[in-house]
Amino acid sequence: MKIVVAGRTGLIGRELVNELDGEGHQTIVLSRSPANYRALFSENVTLVYWDGRSAGEWVEHIEGAGAVINLAGESISGAGFLPDRWSATKKKRIRDSRTAAGEALVMAIEAADEKPDMLLQASAVGYYGATGDDLLTESSPPGDDFLASVTRDWEASTVAVEAMGVRRVVARIGLVLSTEDGALPRLLLPSRLFAGGWFGSGSQWWSWIHITDVASSLRFLIENELAQGPVNVAAPNPVTNKAFGKALGRALNRPSLVPVPAFALRAALGEVASTVLEGQRVNPQHLLQMDYSFRFPDIDSALHDLLLEQGKPQLVTA
């Protein structure tokens, strides 16, 4: 199958492209800096330049594609060890980078004589906002905070392809666990220094997913013709932030006793602190109904796998 991936420079895109390539799919990556990422992939993967917002030579690859995957969007937290503050300018870039990329893909699909079979639109569980202990399914309503509004706009940016007869799946992805990038490397350092713990009250829910299950479940949604509409891409066993900290402590054989006060996080990070102080308790109802089998359904098995791969201490069970 010919698959076009937009926005692959992030953690999810790298893992997914390599999985698709390994399964023998003809994979075409749209990138702002294709030369910088050539070494990350096999020679079977084609890298093509796009600017993320307008038509160009890349549109010819949309013709007759089996799937188009839209992962494009500026990082919510930035690339540094500490998350970037959300200035007005940063917020605009976060939103515009997502909507512009989606609109560009819609225009390319509309112009194609042979439409793609499906479009996979990335989103996030932040769509639901801060919901306390409520168990959320794909039919739960959206929230009203900044991240919820961004994900609503991100999802809406490609909805027009449905009227063109293109199957569209919206993947609302949870907190992705990987030792290469994302939240986990930021959490490992204090734990290794015996300063691990939780944020604020620790009662906020974290809906997480192992990077292996992210790539595998997205490929499952591409290949499963019954998949359509919003799908929660998160492990079936979300945990509170305090439980996550304790699981990380067990995996590293370290204590998890040092809470970080909410006021300190808000003072240091501003509004972006809400990404760790608030959360969602998400149920991947549609994936389970379609019989997707999670390789890492619980937090202990996920952390054990990730840290063991890096030669870290093996999991110490409670």
Side-chain angles (χ1 to χ4, degrees), residues 19-57:
E19 171 139 343
L20 293 172
D21 178 42
E23 291 293 318
H25 294 292
Q26 178 191 354
T27 310
I28 298 158
V29 171
L30 306 182
S31 171
R32 290 183 176 87
S33 305
N36 293 345
Y37 300 101
R38 177 64 275 173
L40 295 178
F41 305 107
S42 78
E43 61 183 12
N44 298 322
V45 176
T46 302
L47 281 87
V48 178
Y49 172 78
W50 86 321
D51 64 3
R53 60 179 58 249
S54 58
E57 293 183 5

Side-chain angles (χ1 to χ4, degrees), residues 282-302:
V282 168
N283 176 29
Q285 185 179 73
H286 288 180
L287 277 176
L288 294 174
Q289 288 174 343
M290 290 184 285
D291 293 326
Y292 174 76
S293 178
F294 285 88
R295 183 172 174 186
F296 302 101
D298 63 88
I299 192 63
D300 282 331
S301 67

Side-chain angles (χ1 to χ4, degrees), residues 58-247:
W58 62 270
V59 300
E60 67 185 48
H61 297 287
I62 299 295
E63 194 77 34
V68 174
I69 304 171
N70 183 22
L71 302 173
E74 179 164 332
S75 171
I76 294 291
S77 59
F81 182 77
L82 292 177
D84 296 341
R85 279 179 170 264
W86 287 344
S87 65
T89 301
K90 172 71 173 177
K91 282 185 171 183
K92 188 175 188 305
R93 290 202 310 267
I94 288 171
R95 189 184 303 274
D96 290 353
S97 64
R98 285 162 171 74
T99 57
E103 290 163 2
L105 289 170
V106 168
M107 288 188 290
I109 291 171
E110 187 174 27
D113 292 327
E114 186 181 354
K115 311 293 188 201
D117 293 333
M118 69 90 64
L119 182 142
L120 177 67
Q121 170 64 54
S123 184
V125 296
Y127 170 90
Y128 302 108
T131 51
D133 292 331
D134 294 346
L135 186 61
L136 306 169
T137 68
E138 289 84 354
S139 61
S140 298
D144 57 7
D145 58 20
F146 169 66
L147 288 182
S149 71
V150 166
T151 52
R152 288 200 309 270
D153 290 349
W154 201 12
E155 293 184 11
S157 70
T158 57
V159 70
V161 304
E162 295 178 2
M164 304 175 200
V166 176
R167 176 171 67 94
R168 190 177 77 116
V169 177
V170 177
R172 294 174 181 160
I173 303 171
L175 175 69
V176 179
L177 299 185
S178 168
T179 54
E180 294 184 9
D181 201 353
L184 186 57
R186 290 169 168 152
L187 297 170
L188 283 173
L189 180 59
S191 290
R192 289 181 185 136
L193 296 176
F194 295 86
W198 55 91
F199 301 120
S201 69
S203 63
Q204 65 273 30
W205 287 91
W206 279 13
S207 290
W208 59 274
I209 184 167
H210 190 294
I211 184 61
T212 296
D213 273 320
V214 176
S216 179
S217 63
L218 294 183
R219 179 170 61 82
F220 176 85
L221 294 172
I222 292 166
E223 296 174 349
N224 189 331
E225 295 182 358
L226 297 179
Q228 191 163 350
V231 179
N232 290 333
V233 178
N237 295 294
V239 294
T240 63
N241 172 238
K242 182 179 285 189
F244 183 97
K246 290 184 177 297

Side-chain angles (χ1 to χ4, degrees), residues 265-289:
L265 277 172
R266 295 194 188 280
L269 303 177
E271 189 180 357
V272 74
S274 64
T275 59
V276 296
L277 291 173
E278 299 171 357
Q280 302 79 26
R281 185 185 177 200
V282 168
N283 176 29
Q285 185 179 73
H286 288 180
L287 277 176
L288 294 174
Q289 288 174 343

